[in-house]
């Protein structure tokens, strides 16, 4: 029997990771996000920085030279293959929450997924990332849009799915208006 | 103080109208859909058939000759103006559910809206419309896609909003997978 898995895709700064973590706590099941990164680092020669940066995002350079991509597995492709294997293994172990990493696509036939997308408007996300992650050299909104574009490109390249397209998710919630707690309540109820 | 209004946009055949009706019953507030049509007919020279056909859908001919549209108010424009007025009035009267008719856009500043989009995959919707509305001369999937395109065009023309785009809704639910009852539970809870 397939395990029930809550997969959370999210816009950067929407609090989707927090929603996943709190929902998992309420359901008393594991939430894989940081753990996934640790395991990727442990099972590979990739550094933590590399995994965090290229496990969900296409690099800007790659977007720009998309059409010029040469054949053969890149370092990022190898990370994708390993990430895919780890996610499939985790879903075998029992019900869980997985944040990001295209888990909805990877598990589409391997688990009984509740596929979720968490979003919020730019203003609210910009305010949140400054509050949670602190100020950076790049203005918050530009940083958000760049992160989103790179996630969408990553998803498109490895899964051919349109990231953030409503029909790809069973539930899409605006955390900026509904708030994190309401999102957690709904997902706990639906799971 | 602004009234709380649940606006439901929906793909044709997704059961979004039923979700609206049942949620309104649970909340013990009115659901405007058929009523809206009756009122439009009563306050205008439009027939019921015209209101049903052109109150939410652009005609195929109009889509095709979009760029050739001449200036001045068309019959459909007049219907839009009246529809907008009625929706604004209804939202003034108290909390309610409004299905379709771009109410989310019309009420964006006039009510405290919970904006929802209900969708389902083509297979499930095709099965549902045959069951609910019976067989027609045109195959179900083509009929669905045509209805959706016409709703999207209507919405785009009168509101410049992208119908069915995730960021335009606080909540988007796949009724085909979650089922009508779960959708009703979630919306009742959130309202």
């Amino acid at each position: 029997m397939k395990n029930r898995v809550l997969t959370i895709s999210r816009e950067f700064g929407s609090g989707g990771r927090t929603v996943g973590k709190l929902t998992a706590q309420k359901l008393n099941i594991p939430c894989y996000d940081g753990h996934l990164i640790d395991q990727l680092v442990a099972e590979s020669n990739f550094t933590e920085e590399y995994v965090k940066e290229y496990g969900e995002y296409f690099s800007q350079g790659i977007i720009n030279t998309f059409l010029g991509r040469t054949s053969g597995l890149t370092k990022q492709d190898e990370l994708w293959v390993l990430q895919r294997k780890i996610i499939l293994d985790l879903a075998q172990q029992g019900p869980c929450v997985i944040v990001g990493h295209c888990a909805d696509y990877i598990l589409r036939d391997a688990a009984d997924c509740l596929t979720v997308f968490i979003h919020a408007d730019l203003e609210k996300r910009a305010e949140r990332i400054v509050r949670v992650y602190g100020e950076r050299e790049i203005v918050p909104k530009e940083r958000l849009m760049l992160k989103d574009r790179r996630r969408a490109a990553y998803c498109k390249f490895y899964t051919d799915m349109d990231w953030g397209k409503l029909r790809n998710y069973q539930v899409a919630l605006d955390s900026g208006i509904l708030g994190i707690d309401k999102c957690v309540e709904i997902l706990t109820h639906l799971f």
Side-chain angles (χ1 to χ4, degrees), chain A residues 41-189:
Chain A
V41 173
E43 295 191 16
S44 70
N45 294 316
F46 300 120
T47 63
E48 189 180 328
E49 287 65 38
Y50 186 84
V51 168
K52 278 189 182 165
E53 192 59 21
Y54 296 105
E56 287 195 278
Y57 301 104
F58 242 45
S59 83
Q60 238 188 320
I62 291 176
I63 293 178
N64 294 338
T65 59
F66 211 82
L67 295 168
R69 199 169 196 269
T70 54
S71 58
L73 282 190
T74 64
K75 202 174 159 191
Q76 190 166 29
D77 294 342
E78 288 170 22
L79 179 58
W80 164 258
V81 171
L82 181 59
Q83 184 168 293
R84 188 176 168 279
K85 180 189 153 294
I86 291 176
I87 287 174
L88 285 166
D89 286 349
L90 290 172
Q92 286 288 316
Q93 292 171 25
C96 60
V97 176
I98 302 179
V99 179
H101 302 279
C102 307
D104 46 357
Y105 173 83
I106 293 168
L107 298 176
R108 68 200 181 288
D109 298 319
D112 171 23
C113 290
L114 174 61
T115 59
V116 174
F117 191 86
I118 306 288
H119 58 104
D121 78 8
L122 264 183
E123 294 291 339
K124 293 218 173 68
R125 293 193 284 141
E127 182 275 321
R128 190 171 191 281
I129 64 168
V130 170
R131 183 161 41 84
V132 176
Y133 303 109
E135 295 282 354
R136 299 288 172 94
E137 70 288 354
I138 174 170
V139 294
K141 283 188 193 170
E142 283 175 25
R143 205 172 136 221
L144 287 170
M145 288 189 288
L146 179 58
K147 287 268 188 185
D148 286 347
R149 281 211 307 281
R150 289 178 57 201
R151 274 191 188 155
Y154 184 87
C155 185
K156 188 72 189 170
F157 186 77
Y158 284 107
T159 74
D160 200 27
M161 262 176 70
D162 291 318
W163 183 85
K165 200 170 172 186
L166 182 143
R167 287 166 190 78
N168 292 333
Y169 309 95
Q170 295 168 26
V171 183
L173 301 172
D174 183 334
S175 61
I177 294 183
L178 302 174
I180 301 282
D181 291 345
K182 281 280 177 206
C183 294
V184 172
E185 282 173 27
I186 292 169
L187 300 183
T188 307
H189 177 68

